[in-house]
Amino acid sequence: MMHMPPSPPTLSNTSTFSLPEPSPSRTRTCMDRYTAAAKRSKFIKRLFKLSHMDFQFALWQMYFLFVSPQRVFRDFVYRKQTKNQFARDDPAFLVLLSFFLLVSSVLYGLVMKLSFVLLIKFVIWVVFIDCIGVGVIIASIYWFISNKFLIKNSKSNADVEWAYCFDVHLNAFFPLLTILHIFQLPFLMTIIDHNWYISAVIGNTFWLAAISYYFYNLFLGFNVLPFLTNTKILLYPFTILILVYLLTIGFNINLSRLLMNAYEYRLLSWSL
């Protein structure tokens, strides 16, 4: 009778000889870095290809940021479902905003009766300090708060993109810019730039409307994200805003005149 040789022992799934599984967090981090770099590179390349930009859709977004901003931010959620990112992949809105920022700043500077050199300084200041510089700071603050305190499930892989936070700032900045640099202009030199009490009321009301719209749009931008909770805390600045408004009205402090004087001082003390 023949004896068959014993079969070799099989290794179980828990055997010490099995290879370790790759770390999910490390894999996700590497993929996030790759995709973030790829998306950023694609966005920058499209900046130089006007034919690839959808300016009609960007104009639609600018219009609805005044009429119904919720529709604009719902589009960000739809983009996540179709393109796997909340932030814009089309720079058309940024290009139009830059052009609008340039034109409105020139008009504002002309109303302030700035010289040509001071006008150039003013435009540079508004674009790179007021819009981009302040925007980077605010986007970073909201990015930290949302990821640190507002994530529903801290163990999930969901997080808020910094680029999306900056997009939300740009959305909120457009109505603010329009109110202060366009709607306010007819009243600036005729009524607001005086020591009258009504001047402070009108000028500060413009500021209240502009900043209120800004914070409201910031709130909407984060409220539409399904993985965030307790986003109502982003409305808390309204309490401080209304309090400051009432105090400045009560003490006849004209914020618009203060801003104009501050701009003139900074421009005169800044040498190109």
Side-chain angles (χ1 to χ4, degrees):
M1 182 176 182
M2 298 180 60
H3 295 277
M4 299 295 294
S7 60
T10 58
L11 296 177
S12 64
N13 293 335
T14 58
S15 173
T16 56
F17 294 97
S18 60
L19 294 175
E21 293 292 330
S23 171
S25 60
R26 178 176 298 180
T27 303
R28 179 177 176 272
T29 302
C30 295
M31 289 299 297
D32 286 348
R33 289 176 180 174
Y34 170 76
T35 56
K39 293 173 183 176
R40 184 168 55 249
S41 175
K42 180 181 178 181
F43 185 89
I44 294 175
K45 289 180 180 178
R46 292 188 67 175
L47 273 173
F48 303 97
K49 298 179 180 179
L50 295 179
S51 59
H52 292 188
M53 300 184 194
D54 190 350
F55 289 106
Q56 182 178 359
F57 182 68
L59 288 172
W60 175 89
Q61 288 183 320
M62 288 181 168
Y63 169 75
F64 277 100
L65 281 173
F66 280 100
V67 179
S68 180
Q70 295 91 338
R71 295 184 61 176
V72 178
F73 289 108
R74 282 199 298 266
D75 178 69
F76 280 68
V77 178
Y78 175 75
R79 184 183 299 111
K80 177 65 175 179
Q81 297 172 350
T82 57
K83 299 183 179 181
N84 196 31
Q85 69 178 69
F86 285 106
R88 288 186 176 94
D89 60 339
D90 185 354
F93 184 90
L94 179 61
V95 172
L96 287 180
L97 178 62
S98 301
F99 176 76
F100 187 82
L101 188 61
L102 174 64
V103 174
S104 63
S105 299
V106 169
L107 292 175
Y108 195 93
L110 292 176
V111 171
M112 292 175 61
K113 299 179 181 179
L114 299 176
S115 65
F116 179 74
V117 175
L118 291 181
L119 184 60
I120 294 177
K121 292 181 180 180
F122 177 70
V123 172
I124 294 175
W125 187 282
V126 170
V127 173
F128 291 99
I129 303 298
D130 292 348
C131 181
I132 298 178
V134 175
V136 167
I137 295 174
I138 293 179
S140 300
I141 292 174
Y142 274 74
W143 172 79
F144 174 78
I145 292 175
S146 58
N147 284 311
K148 187 71 174 179
F149 304 107
L150 302 183
I151 299 292
K152 284 183 180 180
N153 184 4
S154 59
K155 297 181 181 180
S156 67
N157 292 333
D159 64 341
V160 182
E161 308 164 2
W162 187 92
Y164 175 76
C165 296
F166 192 75
D167 261 346
V168 173
H169 157 71
L170 294 179
N171 284 350
F173 188 80
F174 175 70
L176 179 145
L177 176 72
T178 305
I179 293 172
L180 294 180
H181 280 202
I182 300 298
F183 296 162
Q184 185 183 214
L185 282 185
F187 304 90
L188 199 59
M189 303 305 295
T190 56
I191 300 177
I192 296 177
D193 192 22
H194 293 282
N195 291 323
W196 309 331
Y197 182 75
I198 190 64
S199 301
V201 173
I202 295 177
N204 293 4
T205 302
F206 273 110
W207 273 93
L208 176 66
I211 299 180
S212 296
Y213 225 108
Y214 180 82
F215 281 114
Y216 178 63
N217 277 311
L218 286 181
F219 162 73
L220 290 178
F222 292 91
N223 191 51
V224 297
L225 300 181
F227 52 86
L228 296 186
T229 185
N230 297 326
T231 54
K232 290 183 179 180
I233 66 172
L234 301 179
L235 295 174
Y236 288 171
F238 276 97
T239 304
I240 301 175
L241 185 60
I242 294 175
L243 179 61
V244 171
Y245 172 76
L246 294 176
L247 288 175
T248 54
I249 292 298
F251 288 97
N252 194 20
I253 300 174
N254 192 327
L255 295 178
S256 294
R257 290 194 72 188
L258 286 178
L259 178 68
M260 290 176 62
N261 294 333
Y263 268 133
E264 291 177 356
Y265 173 78
R266 286 185 296 183
L267 295 175
L268 291 173
S269 60
W270 175 40
S271 59
L272 287 173

